Amino acid sequence: MRDVSRRTFLGAGLLAGIGLGVGIPFSLGAGGSTSTGNLLRSRLTLPLPFTMPFRAPPVLHPVRSDAAADFYDISQSRADASILPGMKTEIWGYNGIFPGPTIVTRRGRPAVVRHTNNLPVPTVVHLHGGRTPHDSDGYPIDFIYPVDMSYMNQHMDTHGHETGMGAMVPGDTTIGQRSYRYPLDQRAATLWYHDHRMDFTGPSLWRGLAGFHLVRDDEEDTLGLPAGARELPIMITDRSFEATGNFLYPSTDPSLMATPGVTGSFVAGVLGDAMLVNGTPWPVAKIDGAKYRLRILNACNARRLDLRIDPQPDGGLTQIGTDGGLLAAPIRHEHFELAPAQRVDAIIDFAGYKPGTAVTLLNDFGEGNMSQIMRFIVGPKSRDTFTVPDRLATIEPLTAADAVTTRTFRFQSGDVNHTKGWLIDAQPFSPDNISAAVKLGTVEIWRLIADFHHPVHLHLNPFQVLSRGIGGPGAFDAGWKDTIDLRPAEEAAIAIRFEGYAGKYVFHCHNLEHEDMAMMANFITR
Ligand code: C2O
Ligand code: CU
Ligand code: CU
């Protein structure tokens, strides 16, 4: 491939993609394939959109604070949640709720979060977007074993010895509890925490193990952004339900103890047919006629979203931030594409609507009810002195000239343990393979090449998108990202400044079915 021009290479990649596509289904939206995944239909009648009230997750308060840090306690536990009218859904939740409680911290103020595992299976907690030392980053085999080991013991006895947990050499594990220490010496941004257990992250998040972690700082405070009731966290997750009201997920091994992955065509990704916002299906929020800050997170396992506000507000969807915090300057969009794990921080001006107007957040990549996300009912015009500043933050642009090395990684489907799975450079994830050794304090270019949609995420450090194919960065690529939305047969170049902590970290596809089916690799920093 080396002597083929990039244009020819992209053409060949597209053909190869179509060839591989046999048996790898796409969800087909109006404009063609919009997500790599397969729709899983609920076995009950879903509620009508816009009938249930919007709610934001509660903010978690520290159990104690000292000069050095704030200390938080979270119990990971099973609970019956009221998600569908008149039914109970068993969830796995941080403090028994889905989403988990929101942690709010300030730049440079360390947080220590003690997690107790009251679930039946081992867990791992990762702070997504956090610049975190290795031992608190939630390395996929650094398990917190359950307080109560009976379920695990039973399932390891019956079939776990040759595959899965029984065969796996664990990493740095603890029993029952673990304290994660987050320095949080990083820009204000919308982070999130979620489970990261090797091979079983998809089903754990599907059951509810995800929450927001917001970092604030002085730079952001000077902007006077909408706050309090006018700052809305919006975690979007698609889900499917059993007839019982429980979540439906096509695990190959429903015990979640031995064999990873999902059945049949779901290996492409699991797409739900109910759109939840903060755990509520298609909610409706009553708001003032004023400007709001929406922190939108795509926490779907595999579904890509194309967000649009209808009717279009004055100024459109004004993007002020992305995964890694504020942009240098606001960008006005008519719509915004958001891949799994990505965040967009947006200002929406509701003051231009007549009181009583129903304003809908749409998903133009979805069909039927999946083309809708939530609704706002606009109240009377209300006092609002905020205007979006022309400059938001200082961002030093990285260029190819800053880089000391260029590496290339290919994200492609392939065989994993004799079944269909997903590979990086033809390798399935193994904790023992190191794909890159990088030097802290340097910038590298990574060329990422995809066969299908792969939202590629790096731990530890954010990056900037330099190019896509032979063109520049895309319309949704501005600022510091930690996840890039790679599309079928696409090649992109990102620039990463490695800094912070020495150790072993992962990068992976954040389509969680791809991640569980081995599309993950290690880099070490030193
Ligand atoms: Cu949000 Cu390694 O993941
Ligand atoms: Cu991460
Ligand atoms: Cu992928």
Side-chain angles (χ1 to χ4, degrees):
M1 288 287 172
R2 219 171 308 122
D3 45 12
V4 180
S5 82
R6 191 175 287 178
R7 183 179 290 273
T8 315
F9 173 71
L10 280 176
L14 186 59
L15 290 177
I18 291 164
L20 285 166
V22 178
I24 304 280
F26 287 113
S27 139
L28 294 174
S33 62
T34 59
S35 293
T36 295
N38 195 14
L39 187 70
L40 178 59
R41 287 197 191 283
S42 292
R43 296 174 179 161
L44 47 66
T45 306
L46 293 165
L48 290 174
F50 320 129
T51 53
M52 304 175 75
F54 171 89
R55 59 195 170 84
V59 171
L60 187 68
H61 297 290
V63 288
R64 71 189 172 87
S65 296
D66 65 21
D70 296 318
F71 296 81
Y72 297 87
D73 256 349
I74 290 180
S75 161
Q76 305 175 0
S77 47
R78 289 204 254 207
D80 284 331
S82 300
I83 296 173
L84 303 172
M87 301 197 95
K88 292 286 176 222
T89 304
E90 186 190 304
I91 61 153
W92 288 358
Y94 295 115
N95 281 351
I97 57 174
F98 165 52
T102 300
I103 297 179
V104 183
T105 57
R106 288 195 73 83
R107 175 173 193 156
R109 172 79 180 159
V112 179
V113 187
R114 183 173 65 180
H115 282 266
T116 304
N117 180 2
N118 290 308
L119 294 168
V121 300
T123 60
V124 171
V125 184
H126 170 58
L127 177 60
H128 181 124
R131 193 166 82 173
T132 307
H134 163 86
D135 59 352
S136 284
D137 194 52
Y139 191 76
I141 55 171
D142 289 354
F143 306 124
I144 313 174
Y145 287 118
V147 168
D148 175 354
M149 293 283 286
S150 55
Y151 177 89
M152 252 189 80
N153 289 334
Q154 175 195 333
H155 285 277
M156 293 195 23
D157 285 349
T158 51
H159 53 237
H161 282 306
E162 285 76 45
T163 57
M165 296 296 307
M168 190 184 293
V169 180
D172 169 19
T173 62
T174 55
I175 294 175
Q177 226 168 44
R178 184 182 185 113
S179 286
Y180 294 87
R181 199 180 173 85
Y182 302 116
L184 295 163
D185 181 15
Q186 58 185 100
R187 308 178 75 219
T190 306
L191 314 184
W192 59 303
Y193 62 101
H194 62 73
D195 197 64
H196 214 300
R197 171 160 69 118
M198 181 169 160
D199 295 346
F200 295 97
T201 293
S204 297
L205 267 80
W206 194 264
R207 287 170 189 229
L209 290 175
F212 279 106
H213 183 136
L214 310 181
V215 181
R216 303 192 184 280
D217 69 7
D218 297 343
E219 183 182 43
E220 186 187 80
D221 284 354
T222 61
L223 303 178
L225 297 171
R230 293 191 185 164
E231 178 187 16
L232 303 179
I234 294 181
M235 180 191 289
I236 302 171
T237 55
D238 58 342
R239 292 290 182 269
S240 306
F241 293 89
E242 309 256 19
T244 58
N246 282 340
F247 288 132
L248 174 65
Y249 187 82
S251 289
T252 306
D253 167 17
S255 83
L256 305 186
M257 283 304 302
T259 313
V262 284
T263 57
S265 55
F266 291 107
V267 71
V270 179
L271 308 176
D273 64 354
M275 197 71 97
L276 312 189
V277 173
N278 299 336
T280 303
W282 298 283
V284 51
K286 290 205 172 74
I287 54 156
D288 300 335
K291 296 186 196 72
Y292 275 72
R293 177 183 191 184
L294 308 187
R295 296 174 177 262
I296 304 175
L297 158 65
N298 180 347
C300 297
N301 281 32
R303 184 180 286 276
R304 295 171 66 248
L305 302 169
D306 187 12
L307 308 170
R308 183 163 61 86
I309 311 264
D310 178 48
Q312 197 67 234
D314 294 342
L317 184 158
T318 304
Q319 184 194 8
I320 57 166
T322 180
D323 307 343
L326 292 170
L327 304 180
I331 303 175
R332 299 192 194 296
H333 300 273
E334 288 190 350
H335 69 115
F336 199 93
E337 295 181 15
L338 201 67
Q342 292 186 316
R343 286 85 76 204
V344 59
D345 202 337
I347 301 290
I348 308 293
D349 187 359
F350 291 101
Y353 299 107
K354 272 219 293 298
T357 307
V359 178
T360 311
L361 176 60
L362 298 175
N363 165 32
D364 285 342
F365 283 162
E367 291 183 311
N369 281 348
M370 296 311 280
S371 67
Q372 302 181 308
I373 300 172
M374 69 172 288
R375 178 161 284 174
F376 303 92
I377 304 293
V378 182
K381 215 181 250 55
S382 156
R383 190 183 140 77
D384 183 3
T385 53
F386 174 72
T387 53
V388 181
D390 294 337
R391 306 294 312 164
L392 297 166
T394 310
I395 291 186
E396 175 211 350
L398 299 179
T399 66
D402 299 320
V404 297
T405 315
T406 298
R407 303 177 197 269
T408 302
F409 296 104
R410 287 184 169 73
F411 294 77
Q412 287 170 322
S413 65
D415 271 15
V416 177
N417 289 331
H418 312 295
T419 62
K420 266 208 196 71
W422 299 95
L423 308 172
I424 301 177
D425 280 355
Q427 295 293 318
F429 178 63
S430 154
D432 305 323
N433 288 347
I434 305 299
S435 298
V438 308
K439 227 172 138 336
L440 291 171
T442 65
V443 174
E444 296 199 358
I445 308 286
W446 286 16
R447 290 171 61 233
L448 310 172
I449 302 170
D451 58 352
F452 295 111
H453 292 101
H454 297 298
V456 173
H457 168 55
L458 269 73
H459 286 215
L460 185 63
N461 293 125
F463 53 80
Q464 293 176 13
V465 179
L466 297 183
S467 61
R468 285 181 182 265
I470 55 170
F476 315 109
D477 288 337
W480 287 107
K481 317 286 288 184
D482 61 41
T483 306
I484 177 173
D485 180 22
L486 289 179
R487 293 162 303 187
E490 191 168 47
E491 176 198 324
I494 61 172
I496 316 137
R497 181 191 295 287
F498 289 99
E499 57 189 5
Y501 306 99
K504 182 163 67 165
Y505 292 90
V506 291
F507 63 103
H508 58 89
C509 181
H510 220 289
N511 173 318
L512 300 180
E513 285 71 41
H514 297 192
E515 177 181 344
D516 285 346
M517 289 307 282
M519 193 171 255
M520 179 148 64
N522 298 293
F523 65 94
I524 50 166
T525 53
R526 55 189 176 196

